[in-house]
Amino acid sequence: QVQPVESGGGLVQPGGSLRLSCTSPRDIFSADTVGWHRQAPGSRRELVASVTKSGNTYYQDIAEGRFTVSRDRVMNTVYLQMNSLKPEDTAVYYCNTDFGWRQTYWGQGTQVTVSS
């Protein structure tokens, strides 16, 4: 079992916050990249944010200023802190770990629903 595991999704009101977690059976700090993606019903899966092995972060425009990616070595976890959530953020959020050639793994996803 090498797939990452996401957690932390749920139902939140507009303007609220959630923190998603991504853990891995492997050393997540050794991944070339850990990415957070999302897929809304009827839409393609899209990249939201990512962090590289060296700690560089990348955010899509949809996440810039609202979402933050961080890592915890002790917990072997990558987090996605999501603030100021909007109904259009409703989606299944997936963690993707890339350890190199043919070593890319996807989690099962965690549902985030933003609704009043």
Side-chain angles (χ1 to χ4, degrees), residues 56-107:
N56 293 323
T57 54
Y58 168 80
Y59 298 95
Q60 286 278 35
D61 289 346
I62 54 174
E64 192 71 54
R66 298 190 299 131
F67 296 178
T68 304
V69 178
S70 62
R71 301 184 295 178
D72 185 321
R73 186 176 292 277
V74 172
M75 300 300 292
N76 196 43
T77 299
V78 172
Y79 300 102
L80 181 66
Q81 177 68 43
M82 305 188 296
N83 299 327
S84 302
L85 284 163
K86 306 173 184 179
E88 50 264 43
D89 294 317
T90 294
V92 178
Y93 284 71
Y94 297 90
C95 176
N96 161 267
T97 53
D98 181 1
F99 292 92
W101 190 58
R102 293 189 175 182
Q103 299 181 76
T104 301
Y105 310 106
W106 289 89

Side-chain angles (χ1 to χ4, degrees), residues 3-16:
Q3 283 75 20
V5 178
E6 306 94 337
S7 61
L11 173 64
V12 64
Q13 292 187 341

Side-chain angles (χ1 to χ4, degrees), residues 20-32:
L20 306 183
S21 300
C22 172
T23 61
S24 171
R26 297 180 62 169
D27 177 8
I28 208 165
F29 275 70
S30 69
D32 291 339

